[in-house]
Amino acid sequence: MSDALCWQSAGTLAAAVRRGERSAVEVLEAHLDRARAVEPRLGAFVRLCEERARRAAEEIDRRVAGGEDPGPLAGVPLGVKDNLCVRGVETTAASRILSGYLPPYTATAVARLEAAGAVVLGKLNLDEFAMGSSTETSAYGPTRNPWDPERVPGGSSGGSAASVAAGEVPLSLGSDTGGSIRQPAALCGCVGVKPTYGLVSRYGLIAFASSLDQVGPLARTCADAALALDALVGPDPRDATSASPPWDPAARPFAAAVAAASLEGRTLGVVPEYLERTADPEVRTAVEKALGAAERAGARLREVSLRSADEAIPAYQIVSTAEASSNLARYDGVRFGRRCAAPKDLEDLYARTRGEGFGREVKRRIVLGTFVLSSGFYEAYYLRGQDARRRVRADLLAALDDVDALVGPTSPVPAFRLGERLDDPLAMYSVDVFSVSANLAGLPALSLPCGFTAAGLPVGLQLTGRPFADPDLLALGRGLEEALALPKRRPLP
Amino acid sequence: MTELDPRTPEGIAALARLARLALDPEEARAFGDHMGRMLRWIESLPPARPDLGEALAGPPRRTLRADRVRPSLPPEESLAGAPERAAGGFRVPAVLPGE
């Protein structure tokens, strides 16, 4: 029975806890048992917060017993990517340089889900500082794909996706700078949402590239992602880039949109450039089947061209590394985190602390970012990237003029083998070819499962929408789930 | 190109110095090869247009919060994660000789 709890939706679990039919402690213990059983094969969590979680679950149960409503996520176990701060819980961004760091504050996104009743079960693995597409650059070692442990879960939110797909938690938080929620969601067979830039507070998110980073949920269904988004969205005075959407976040717009979901009369834009660049024929076939299912459910398909498709990755590399080189300057061995032993002087302290503390991929990006921002190269490289970013945004917005969302593959390939791309950074970066544009343009995008390859690897379908059309995007996602009616499969028995 | 050319070992070393980043020789060699391929990719983009003011504005400007004094992290909590501290501050090696 306890294992069955681990495959229930967040919505079902919360409803049972709110009605007193299940205790939050019972729900928590079932998920902790599942995590203990699968973690040796998966490595999704970098640490479990068992005692903290038990205290939180007991408090939820006390409130229910006292006649209070602990909120729409009452007792829902939550996994948190380890680049989101939780007060007093070690938070490292999977980097040696932050080993032992105990944040003195909690990220707004985590605090809002906890306020809605969620119980933080633990911190989840990621590529170091969220820089990667496979969760192999983590200082803790890789997370494995629950559908094939010889393959990567995608990244950088690989732990967030793998834990949800494997039934360790029904809900997790990730961050998405160039596809880091959507691509692992696709490779692990779950739903991942990158909201419109500014819709979810970045306060307490360890910054990678601040003009691209967004926090978002991963879940097994669009309805569960919507449940989380209703708690997450809304302005935050502690994040100057947080935005007020043109709808009332307090009115639970995501739940309402998902409840009324239908594809009837909706128009989906199919981007031929994306299908042409889908390297794996099985991914392309799964996506084309999904498009057929959407049409049969009443959606209209319209071809829309994105001429800037090939500009997105180089533009992303320029902008993200420039911002990363600046954001990561704060890790200098002075105020927090790791410090090298016996520095000769201040320069030696900085250079050796950073040299010892950062992994190779992070250093590579700092060097490139330093170059594109350096005097004499700024115009030729950084401004060139910013100009391309402008074209990508204009192109996407124009494409969205006549359609409700763009639809296509999330990733050009399914989960690849561990180590397959690790020594070839350009091959690794190329798997983000369909996902980086939404970050460059600040648009909402989500990935949902649309099928499996013959080898049993999940394939993800990406939807991209207009700014602040996030509730409608979830409704389209829900409509596609209904149209696809994929058989329920469970990995890691 | 100049001394910052990331395709050369000297350029990588100069950029690493600018970034206050110690690299081992194997890392520096690997980065040089990778940077050459990255720059070819980047150079496939058209040159930037001359007036980039709008593009450089980045994400839309947000309203800033009022500039008021408000409670903040107490000094002892700010210092709690420091590798070394002294006299209510962060301790670092001497910046000037003889200090």
Side-chain angles (χ1 to χ4, degrees), chain A residues 87 104 197-198 211 237-238 240-243 311 313-315 317-318 333-339 343 345-347 349-352 354-355 358 360 363-364 366-368 370-371 374-375 377-379 381-388 390-391 424-426 429-430, chain B residues 1-2 4-7 12 15-24 26-27 30-31 34-35 37-39 41-49 52 54-56 58-65 70 73 77-84 90-95:
Chain A
R87 182 181 166 87
Y197 185 80
S211 77
R238 292 188 281 198
T241 63
S242 82
E311 297 191 30
I313 287 189
Q317 285 298 324
I318 294 170
V334 173
R335 288 155 298 166
F336 43 74
R338 180 192 173 111
R339 172 182 286 195
D345 52 32
L346 197 58
E347 286 287 324
L349 182 151
Y350 292 152
R352 278 205 295 122
R354 290 160 62 78
F358 291 137
R360 178 171 291 197
K363 291 183 201 176
R364 189 186 343 255
I366 289 173
V367 169
L368 181 59
T370 303
F371 171 69
S374 62
S375 174
F377 300 100
Y378 180 83
E379 289 79 8
Y381 290 95
Y382 182 69
L383 289 189
R384 186 183 286 202
Q386 287 288 13
D387 206 16
R390 184 190 56 80
R391 282 193 295 276
D424 186 349
L426 272 71
Y429 302 159
S430 69
Chain B
M1 246 193 223
T2 72
L4 288 182
D5 185 345
R7 286 165 283 213
I12 293 285
L15 288 164
R17 274 196 303 279
L18 273 179
R20 308 291 190 271
L21 188 62
L23 298 180
D24 64 44
E26 207 281 319
E27 282 174 332
F31 288 2
H34 165 245
M35 293 297 166
R37 295 168 61 208
M38 265 318 291
L39 294 191
W41 206 359
I42 290 171
E43 286 161 0
S44 71
L45 294 173
R49 66 176 191 189
L52 263 184
E54 187 196 345
L56 281 182
R61 284 187 67 82
R62 312 293 183 193
T63 307
L64 298 179
R65 67 185 176 197
R70 61 181 70 218
L73 211 56
E77 280 201 58
S78 301
L79 290 166
E84 282 190 63
F90 301 103
R91 185 183 172 97
V92 295
V95 176

Side-chain angles (χ1 to χ4, degrees), chain A residues 56-248:
Chain A
E58 285 162 5
E59 176 60 20
I60 298 280
D61 289 337
R62 264 194 298 275
R63 292 175 64 188
V64 172
E68 282 183 61
D69 181 359
L73 292 170
V76 172
L78 171 71
V80 177
K81 188 174 179 178
D82 199 35
N83 62 352
L84 284 158
C85 291
V86 178
R87 182 181 166 87
V89 175
E90 186 180 5
T91 298
T92 68
S95 180
R96 285 188 300 276
I97 208 160
L98 277 173
S99 170
Y101 174 60
L102 299 175
Y105 52 85
T106 296
T108 297
V110 178
R112 286 186 175 174
L113 293 186
E114 289 193 304
V119 172
V120 173
L121 191 112
K123 302 299 292 292
L124 293 160
N125 204 12
L126 66 151
D127 283 296
E128 184 180 4
F129 282 105
M131 296 180 191
S133 306
S134 66
T135 316
E136 292 173 289
T137 71
S138 166
Y140 294 100
T143 294
R144 292 168 182 272
N145 191 302
W147 299 94
D148 179 351
E150 296 306 310
R151 293 176 186 268
V152 303
S156 65
S157 308
S160 303
S163 60
V164 167
E168 294 177 293
V169 283
L171 187 65
S172 67
L173 280 173
S175 64
D176 191 314
T177 305
S180 279
I181 288 174
R182 290 160 287 153
Q183 185 257 14
L187 271 50
C188 288
C190 55
V191 172
V193 184
K194 183 208 91 72
T196 298
Y197 185 80
L199 195 58
V200 176
S201 170
R202 291 184 296 112
Y203 177 76
L205 170 69
I206 294 176
F208 161 13
S210 304
S211 77
L212 302 164
D213 297 339
Q214 263 300 276
V215 178
L218 294 96
R220 288 191 289 270
T221 63
C222 286
D224 275 359
L227 197 60
L229 283 160
D230 272 328
L232 282 167
V233 302
D236 178 9
R238 292 188 281 198
D239 174 3
T241 63
S242 82
S244 295
W247 30 264
D248 178 12

Side-chain angles (χ1 to χ4, degrees), chain A residues 145-149 151 186-189 282 414-415 451-459 489-492:
Chain A
N145 191 302
W147 299 94
D148 179 351
R151 293 176 186 268
L187 271 50
C188 288
E282 287 191 277
F452 285 85
T453 67
L457 300 174
V459 176
R489 295 193 195 185
R490 292 174 184 172
L492 292 178

Side-chain angles (χ1 to χ4, degrees), chain A residues 256-273:
Chain A
V258 165
S262 167
L263 293 179
E264 191 66 47
R266 308 307 304 275
T267 307
L268 300 175
V270 181
V271 181
E273 289 87 352

Side-chain angles (χ1 to χ4, degrees), chain A residues 313-337:
Chain A
I313 287 189
Y316 171 79
Q317 285 298 324
I318 294 170
V319 173
S320 67
T321 58
E323 294 184 18
S325 72
S326 172
N327 272 327
L328 271 59
R330 74 191 66 174
Y331 304 105
D332 57 6
V334 173
R335 288 155 298 166
F336 43 74

